[in-house]
Amino acid sequence: MRHIWAFPSLTALSLFQASAASAVPRTRQAINTSSPLALFRTKRRFRTQVQLLSNSATKTTLVEEMVTVDTTSRLAALRSLMKERNLHVYVVPSEDSHASEYIADCDARRTFISGFSGSAGTAIVTLDKAALATDGRYFNQASKQLDSNWYLLKTGMQDVPTWQEWATQEAEGGKLIGVDPQLISSAIAEKLDEDIKNAGGGGLVGIKENLVDLVWGSEQPPRPSNSVFLLGQQYAGKDTAAKLADLRKELDKKKAAGFVLSMLDEIAWLFNLRGSDIAYNPVFFSYAIVTQASATLYIDEAKLTDECKTYLERNKVTIKPYGALFEDSEELARRAEADSKDAKPRKYLISSKGSWALKLALGGNKFVDEVRSPVGDAKAVKNDVELNGMRNCHIRDGAALTEFFAWLEDQLVNQKAQLDEVDAADKLEQIRSKHKDFVGLSFDTISSTGANAAVIHYKPEKGACKIIDPNAIYLCDSGAQYLDGTTDTTRTLHFGTPTAKEKKAYTLVLKGNIALDSVVFPKGTSGFAIDVMARQFLWKYGLDYRHGTGHGVGSFLNVHEGPIGIGTRKQYIDVALAAGNVLSIEPGYYEDEAFGIRIENLAIVKEVKTEHSFGDKPYLGFEHVTMVPYARNLIDETLLTPDEKDWLNRANKKILEKTLGYFENDPLTKAWLLRETQPF
């Protein structure tokens, strides 16, 4: 549940260096960037002190500190372009042309125009107003980053319009709304166009040249073009030929002409390739078209190693330039139009997240059906190799986190060191990097002390962050990419004496985590249906949290993976959980300007044996794979039931068995682990 950001085109690896008593800023050391894995690592963000960029429209891309950016000149330039094109409203989505949640710096248009850097949100600019809509994860952050030019639309709050409703109101009287058609899904665009016209507006117009790019000008970062590498069978578990065969069976069931892939993680998974074009996400810019007779990967061929090319050729995949996708799509539409004169043509399928521009290029509704991606569904059900990889990488990752927490407590309490939030995050990355198959981080570490922990997607910046207070809550939400899996773990700790209020809040969150981890449910149950399990104990006291309870996680892929999840989003009603899914369980509680608590484990959905089988359905449950202890001094044992204590004892026993061997020559960490896993 966090935004990821990185400097573009970095060519050096930042290493943490520290004495036993204190941490110092990292230094840069040259590395061999000819290795694809090295290129992935260079995408990690340097956290050395950075001069804040100016507020002018030409200095923009890397500001993500919790500061307000003056957007006056940027908005003025955008409005001038809007007037030239007869637009009254212009929409700036967060996503790129592949509907990516996490994006390359060159695609951070909404951040540039608004100053708000969270991963979710939409900017709407009129000739005299500007609004930013985001969800509850980012209310606090947006209120700090938006300047006086902007209205904050708190999505989901009572009586607050959605961005579509706000934009529609502004278009009344025949006014036009513009958007880059590559940055908005067809479903959203078509519904918005209908709503605008029904409300008396002029409609939605696709503007091929992106107006924010024109304002950004020469200072817009270049599009990354990093090397792509092959993920071996020992990690992927299934070759591309088998995956293509499965996809073609789905196409046959749907009587479809083919499937056009635009989601980057789906393409990476289908072709067993990984890249580094987007920070922390091992993906690469590409499209693909799969029919019964062919499979075409649209990518800059220079990015592919010889090994990749050989593998693709062996799996009968054709390579074409990235930019040829839309030209080929238009040709497919022309052929379909010609064929339709004699018989009803088979339609091409695109993902429901596919862009408006892609659907139009393929011929629109007549020749295109939007569906939940069959590749996304297949990717979300991990095979046995991927599941074992997830288990194994979480043991190594758990050992790294345990070593880090033991080190951090010793530094703060015994050594009386002055460490800021970035120093801690850097040390954790350095510890992780020692472990087998480590590639890089899976997102930018949320290292937060005291009130900063209440900012759900907080990201510390050197020179603008806090010294860690051992007498306050410390929240660490972090993850890593390993060749055999992706991790995402949150632990909340206190290195002093927590208050009764903090202990109560922590224990209520922990009870929710245990309850959801322990639930058994029939096949066909959605993540929406079980979300209440994690919130019930907070609700008894009138408390809650403004984020989802769980998200899917990729296998050495994106840390946020659809279509599954646990929460109140509509998509979680539509998609049932299935054996082989991997997702997070992460309830929390946050008090602005005070503290924040979140406890996050990753869990595998598995079949479980039950005494009965009502309706002859299989029953499912969770196997959590995160191997990190819970904060004993934050647990109010009087609030725990015997079953909850038993759950904790079993979890701690497993953590001890799996990770203790890493610390035979590390008495500090070993003592910390033994202390934190004592039976209740």
Side-chain angles (χ1 to χ4, degrees), residues 386 389-390 393 396 480-487 554-557:
E386 292 172 319
M390 284 298 235
C393 75
R396 302 192 299 275
Q481 296 285 7
Y482 299 90
L483 291 174
D484 54 351
T486 300
T487 70
S555 178
F556 184 29
L557 269 174

Side-chain angles (χ1 to χ4, degrees), residues 128-133 146-153 166:
D128 55 4
K129 292 183 234 177
L132 185 285
L146 295 175
D147 69 5
S148 58
N149 290 301
W150 292 85
Y151 298 97
L152 174 58
L153 301 178
W166 194 88

Side-chain angles (χ1 to χ4, degrees), residues 519-554:
V519 70
V520 174
F521 50 94
K523 182 180 179 180
T525 301
S526 70
F528 180 91
I530 60 175
D531 178 70
V532 65
M533 300 297 296
R535 299 180 191 265
Q536 59 180 310
F537 304 102
L538 290 165
W539 283 358
K540 286 182 180 179
Y541 292 90
L543 305 175
D544 205 350
Y545 49 93
R546 289 192 181 108
H547 58 71
T549 299
H551 56 83
V553 179

Side-chain angles (χ1 to χ4, degrees), residues 284-303:
F284 47 91
F285 286 108
S286 55
Y287 290 98
I289 298 178
V290 177
T291 69
Q292 293 293 354
S294 66
T296 306
L297 176 63
Y298 293 84
I299 185 173
D300 177 2
E301 189 172 348
K303 299 169 70 163

